[in-house]
Amino acid sequence: MTEGELKLLGRWSSPFVIRVKMMLEQKGLNYEYIEQDLLNKSELLLKHNPIYKKVPVLIHGDRDICESLVILQYIDENWSKTGPMLPVDPYERAIARFWAAYIDDKLLSSFIVIMKAATEEEKAGKIADAHAALELLEGAFMKCAAGKDFFGGDVIGYLDVTLGACLAWIKAVERISGAKLLDETKVPLLMEWVKRFLATDCAKNTLPDVERVEKYGRDLQVARWNVGFG
Amino acid sequence: MTEGELKLLGRWSSPFVIRVKMMLEQKGLNYEYIEQDLLNKSELLLKHNPIYKKVPVLIHGDRDICESLVILQYIDENWSKTGPMLPVDPYERAIARFWAAYIDDKLLSSFIVIMKAATEEEKAGKIADAHAALELLEGAFMKCAAGKDFFGGDVIGYLDVTLGACLAWIKAVERISGAKLLDETKVPLLMEWVKRFLATDCAKNTLPDVERVEKYGRDLQVARWNVGFG
């Protein structure tokens, strides 16, 4: 199946969508991007992701692939000759999968609660959770990168795009909450990684403007939409 | 690294542990099993899974692998010559990964709530969720098995052990709640799969007695331990 048949149903603000865009970018694949309105779900979305009715959905010819981490692995395995994004070694793959799931379970989930917290106490608790998660990711970076520039080594890999796709939100949540999430004294290696990652073409071509994300986050706070990041 | 260095930290009642036992069984791997008490966590568990402090943990020499679906893939990739448990085709792999995550997110999560529900209304809602999840899995079976005996085709695969490891709990939850979860009129293909799966050596050698699980589930209801399935 050729890449000409690739379509991505997404939402500009979703870190889950952005990581798929990053993977497609790194693989050099062309695709048609179709923006979705999650407050008014399209027939297209309901048809191609009837189970969760969420973005991202990758449509590859007559195949529908849902759930962002599943999509990343599909793209990597299907276009395996173009720079593997997951490590080759089974143990390193296991570690990458573990931390990718951790980012979703612990880091991203804390952002929405920080923004929507009903009390200062709840907010402070979730900020502490986000700090704890980032400090563990600092340790994961030390092990995965092992002195190199990226989680993936010399070049961007699976964990780089999984975490990198969150960067606009990390900065937006900092602005909205007034709390510093990325603190140089606590996560110095991760801060260096952020600079390197943001300087890549992959990041420049896919990450939304922090101002736009911030505005969206503030709208989310007021409207209390139940649509997560997008 | 040889299989002689394999250890599994587990809990007899956990479907997440049982699926790992099933994978090791299918691969014909020998390992040392070390039962854990989750109400009084061991130094061993805290050392080898400091992030989540949960079972299962697979210890392979100096490598610690956590999170059951990550462990299953590690075992499959590391001992890839002994009957691959994930499909070979990238799309079929994506589908298997999607449904495995679905089983954890939607099916297993409903069991604990059914047992611990504070009101009949909450219980009925979660029973309806479990029915809906099983009906979707019936559809998934049709597509994955495509007329063959198992999700994996002619032999047990990744999705078979992921769902198969839940079977003792499905029956125990039926007994405890008085609700029929597996209904022949709604999921006839899945019912046939259950019979075939329970007849395998893999199931016979790894699934706990339903009576014991039922007793444990009733204890869980009374004590309201926050330890999930084990």
Side-chain angles (χ1 to χ4, degrees):
Chain A
M1 211 171 288
T2 67
E3 64 185 89
E5 300 165 54
L6 271 180
K7 291 176 187 170
L8 175 63
L9 310 189
R11 176 81 185 148
W12 69 272
S13 52
S14 164
F16 306 104
V17 173
I18 297 164
R19 62 174 66 150
V20 175
K21 288 183 178 175
M22 286 178 168
M23 174 68 87
L24 291 163
E25 170 89 16
Q26 282 301 99
K27 290 276 179 180
L29 295 167
N30 293 314
Y31 62 98
E32 180 188 351
Y33 177 74
I34 307 171
E35 181 76 3
Q36 299 297 304
D37 175 359
L38 297 185
L39 292 174
N40 184 17
K41 294 184 180 181
S42 70
E43 286 300 316
L44 193 68
L45 178 61
L46 300 178
K47 180 184 166 194
H48 291 278
N49 188 358
I51 311 292
Y52 289 114
K53 306 170 181 69
K54 292 195 301 190
V55 291
V57 180
L58 185 74
I59 305 174
H60 185 201
D62 59 358
R63 300 170 164 187
D64 299 326
I65 305 108
C66 304
E67 296 295 281
S68 66
L69 297 179
V70 173
I71 296 173
L72 294 189
Q73 293 178 82
Y74 173 75
I75 297 170
D76 198 35
E77 293 175 357
N78 211 52
W79 288 277
S80 57
K81 288 173 188 165
T82 332
M85 296 282 281
L86 268 97
V88 174
D89 175 75
Y91 178 62
E92 290 176 20
R93 293 165 74 85
I95 296 300
R97 288 187 180 120
F98 175 89
W99 286 111
Y102 181 86
I103 288 166
D104 288 359
D105 289 348
K106 300 293 179 186
L107 186 66
L108 279 175
S109 66
S110 72
F111 292 174
I112 295 289
V113 188
I114 290 171
M115 289 188 297
K116 289 189 171 184
T119 64
E120 283 302 313
E121 195 183 348
E122 189 188 4
K123 183 173 146 184
K126 278 294 158 184
I127 289 169
D129 286 352
H131 280 151
L134 287 164
E135 283 177 49
L136 285 172
L137 285 164
E138 170 93 355
F141 181 78
M142 282 180 71
K143 285 187 191 167
C144 293
K148 296 189 171 173
D149 281 355
F150 297 104
F151 284 93
D154 292 323
V155 290
I156 290 174
Y158 176 70
L159 258 183
D160 294 285
V161 300
T162 301
L163 185 59
C166 310
L167 288 176
W169 270 103
I170 292 181
K171 289 178 183 281
V173 172
E174 284 185 335
R175 291 184 186 185
I176 293 169
S177 68
K180 205 169 168 62
L181 295 182
L182 282 167
D183 182 336
E184 255 178 67
T185 62
K186 289 178 180 164
V187 291
L189 295 175
L190 221 47
M191 292 293 285
E192 289 299 316
W193 169 82
V194 169
K195 283 181 207 158
R196 279 192 296 271
F197 188 82
L198 290 178
T200 63
D201 285 342
C202 178
K204 288 177 190 165
N205 293 341
T206 54
L207 276 175
D209 286 338
V210 175
E211 286 70 22
R212 193 178 172 204
V213 176
E214 181 189 353
K215 183 182 177 309
Y216 177 76
R218 292 190 188 277
D219 290 346
L220 198 68
Q221 280 189 306
V222 175
R224 307 193 82 76
W225 295 322
N226 190 24
V227 292
F229 294 102
Chain B
M1 212 172 287
T2 67
E3 64 185 87
E5 300 164 55
L6 272 179
K7 291 176 188 168
L8 176 63
L9 310 189
R11 176 81 185 146
W12 69 273
S13 52
S14 163
F16 306 105
V17 173
I18 297 165
R19 62 175 65 151
V20 176
K21 288 182 178 176
M22 287 178 168
M23 175 68 88
L24 291 163
E25 169 88 16
Q26 282 302 97
K27 290 278 178 179
L29 295 167
N30 293 313
Y31 61 99
E32 181 188 352
Y33 177 72
I34 308 170
E35 180 76 4
Q36 299 296 305
D37 175 0
L38 298 185
L39 291 173
N40 183 18
K41 295 184 180 182
S42 70
E43 286 301 317
L44 192 70
L45 178 62
L46 300 178
K47 179 184 168 195
H48 291 278
N49 188 357
I51 311 292
Y52 289 114
K53 305 171 182 67
K54 292 195 300 190
V55 291
V57 180
L58 185 74
I59 306 175
H60 185 201
D62 58 358
R63 300 169 164 187
D64 299 327
I65 305 108
C66 303
E67 296 296 281
S68 67
L69 297 179
V70 173
I71 296 173
L72 295 188
Q73 292 178 82
Y74 173 75
I75 296 170
D76 198 35
E77 292 175 358
N78 210 53
W79 287 278
S80 57
K81 287 174 190 166
T82 333
M85 295 283 281
L86 268 97
V88 174
D89 175 75
Y91 179 61
E92 289 176 19
R93 293 166 74 85
I95 297 300
R97 288 186 181 122
F98 174 88
W99 287 111
Y102 180 86
I103 288 165
D104 288 0
D105 289 348
K106 300 293 179 186
L107 187 66
L108 278 176
S109 65
S110 72
F111 292 174
I112 295 288
V113 189
I114 290 170
M115 289 190 296
K116 289 191 171 182
T119 64
E120 283 301 312
E121 194 183 348
E122 189 188 2
K123 183 173 144 185
K126 278 294 158 182
I127 289 169
D129 287 351
H131 280 152
L134 287 164
E135 284 177 49
L136 285 171
L137 286 164
E138 170 93 354
F141 181 78
M142 282 180 70
K143 286 187 190 166
C144 293
K148 296 191 173 172
D149 281 356
F150 297 104
F151 284 94
D154 291 322
V155 290
I156 290 173
Y158 175 70
L159 258 183
D160 294 285
V161 300
T162 302
L163 184 59
C166 310
L167 288 177
W169 271 103
I170 292 181
K171 288 177 182 284
V173 171
E174 284 186 335
R175 291 183 186 186
I176 293 169
S177 69
K180 205 170 169 60
L181 296 181
L182 282 167
D183 182 336
E184 256 178 65
T185 62
K186 288 177 180 165
V187 290
L189 296 175
L190 221 47
M191 292 293 284
E192 289 298 316
W193 169 84
V194 169
K195 284 180 206 158
R196 279 191 297 270
F197 187 82
L198 290 178
T200 63
D201 285 342
C202 177
K204 288 177 189 165
N205 293 341
T206 54
L207 277 175
D209 285 339
V210 174
E211 286 70 23
R212 194 179 171 202
V213 176
E214 182 189 351
K215 183 182 177 308
Y216 177 77
R218 291 191 189 277
D219 289 346
L220 198 70
Q221 279 189 304
V222 175
R224 306 194 83 77
W225 296 321
N226 190 25
V227 292
F229 295 101

